[in-house]
Amino acid sequence: MLGLPFVAVMPASTSSSKVALIEAQGGRCHFVQRSSEVYAEAQRVAQETGGHYLDQFTNAERATDWRGNNNIAESIFSQMQQEQHPVPEWIVVGAGTGGTSATLGRYIRYRRHSTKLCVVDPENSAFFESYERGEDVVTGASSRIEGIGRPRVEPSFLPHVVDRMVSVPDAASVAAAHHVSRVLGRRVGASTGTNIWGAFGLLAEMVEQGRSGSVVTLLADSGDRYADTYFSPEWLETMELDTSDPAAKLSEFERSCSWV
């Protein structure tokens, strides 16, 4: 639109379909081996090309007005107004930059809602461990769940507005993505699966406690880009991701609302 060159610095493990989408829009993909390397490499590329480093990880939490102005939090509560339980018991999201959870947590407190915020985190991500320990953590590893999970705690992640964090195994994220895709009749990605796994766990907890209410989460990504990864039996085998046990747990939840 602006006619400016765009370079996306990303891990080499990024799905080929996502790479193709960026290239179709005229962007150039620049790969690093580990996700922890994207920061320094993006800065280096910007300096060498005379470009500007768009640091989404630092600036995500301030990119929108979290008090309202049609942000994601305001949209959720607006869409829930006609539901039986318009104020959710829980909102469940993942953390990539940390911007979404920061906006939601701030908005909930600003509006004095009783809603609690749960952030779900995949394997090899620093957010959950940092939240549990109360200190910064660096894993140095790459998340296999594209779009969420980081090797370090990003500046935009605000733990003080988060009420609970749940660590979700990658096999469970993929199994949940498959489960929801079958139910909806269209594919969703694994970060959506991470959200669903966390939401189902909270719903089962509420059922066990005899509590009624709503739990809101997001369909964070389409699954169409992941035919050669999360929806590929060969890729899952290569990654040693066995989804059979979490798939059985999801089926049992659908049947009985139990989470065992």
Side-chain angles (χ1 to χ4, degrees):
M1 183 180 294
L2 297 176
L4 299 174
F6 174 74
V7 181
V9 179
M10 61 183 67
S13 59
T14 303
S15 70
S16 58
S17 298
K18 186 175 290 186
V19 171
L21 284 173
I22 294 171
E23 292 176 342
Q25 296 297 320
R28 176 169 68 87
C29 296
H30 182 92
F31 299 104
V32 295
Q33 289 304 308
R34 300 167 66 89
S35 59
S36 58
E37 298 170 349
V38 297
Y39 316 99
E41 186 65 7
Q43 289 178 323
R44 185 191 67 78
V45 171
Q47 290 172 354
E48 287 190 356
T49 60
H52 177 70
Y53 172 32
L54 295 171
D55 184 3
Q56 62 171 332
F57 299 104
T58 297
N59 298 316
E61 56 88 10
R62 67 197 71 166
T64 60
D65 181 1
W66 52 266
R67 296 169 184 83
N69 194 26
N70 198 34
N71 64 34
I72 189 170
E74 186 178 62
S75 295
I76 286 173
F77 282 91
S78 175
Q79 291 175 38
M80 290 293 293
Q81 285 180 358
Q82 303 303 316
E83 299 296 331
Q84 182 179 0
H85 302 283
V87 178
E89 289 288 310
W90 288 94
I91 296 178
V92 181
V93 294
T97 63
T100 300
S101 61
T103 295
L104 287 165
R106 284 167 159 173
Y107 183 88
I108 289 167
R109 284 154 178 77
Y110 177 65
R111 295 293 183 180
R112 299 185 182 276
H113 290 304
S114 59
T115 304
K116 292 182 172 61
L117 177 64
C118 175
V119 174
V120 287
D121 204 33
E123 294 176 25
N124 298 325
S125 178
F127 292 117
F128 175 79
E129 186 178 353
S130 173
Y131 185 83
E132 290 288 292
R133 290 167 52 177
E135 60 185 24
D136 281 348
V137 170
V138 176
T139 68
S142 297
S143 169
R144 291 183 292 190
I145 307 303
E146 289 193 26
I148 60 173
R150 301 298 306 160
R152 71 177 192 186
V153 179
E154 301 298 346
S156 289
F157 180 69
L158 306 180
H160 63 277
V161 301
V162 176
D163 297 290
R164 186 188 296 188
M165 287 202 68
V166 174
S167 179
V168 179
D170 290 348
S173 295
V174 175
H178 291 178
H179 184 89
V180 174
S181 296
R182 286 193 296 271
V183 171
L184 295 182
R186 66 182 181 91
R187 284 182 172 178
V188 300
S191 65
T192 293
T194 311
N195 288 349
I196 292 294
W197 188 268
F200 280 9
L202 291 170
L203 284 166
E205 180 181 287
M206 290 170 61
V207 170
E208 184 178 7
Q209 296 171 352
R211 293 161 48 210
S212 59
S214 56
V215 174
V216 172
T217 192
L218 306 176
L219 297 186
D221 56 347
S222 167
D224 294 337
R225 296 189 292 267
Y226 305 115
D228 54 350
T229 53
Y230 305 128
F231 291 91
S232 166
E234 293 78 14
W235 185 87
L236 293 176
E237 184 176 356
T238 300
M239 294 291 109
E240 298 182 348
L241 288 173
D242 182 359
T243 61
S244 56
D245 285 346
K249 186 170 183 175
L250 289 161
S251 296
E252 180 60 27
F253 171 78
E254 190 174 44
R255 187 188 69 82
S256 66
C257 290
S258 65
W259 196 243
V260 294

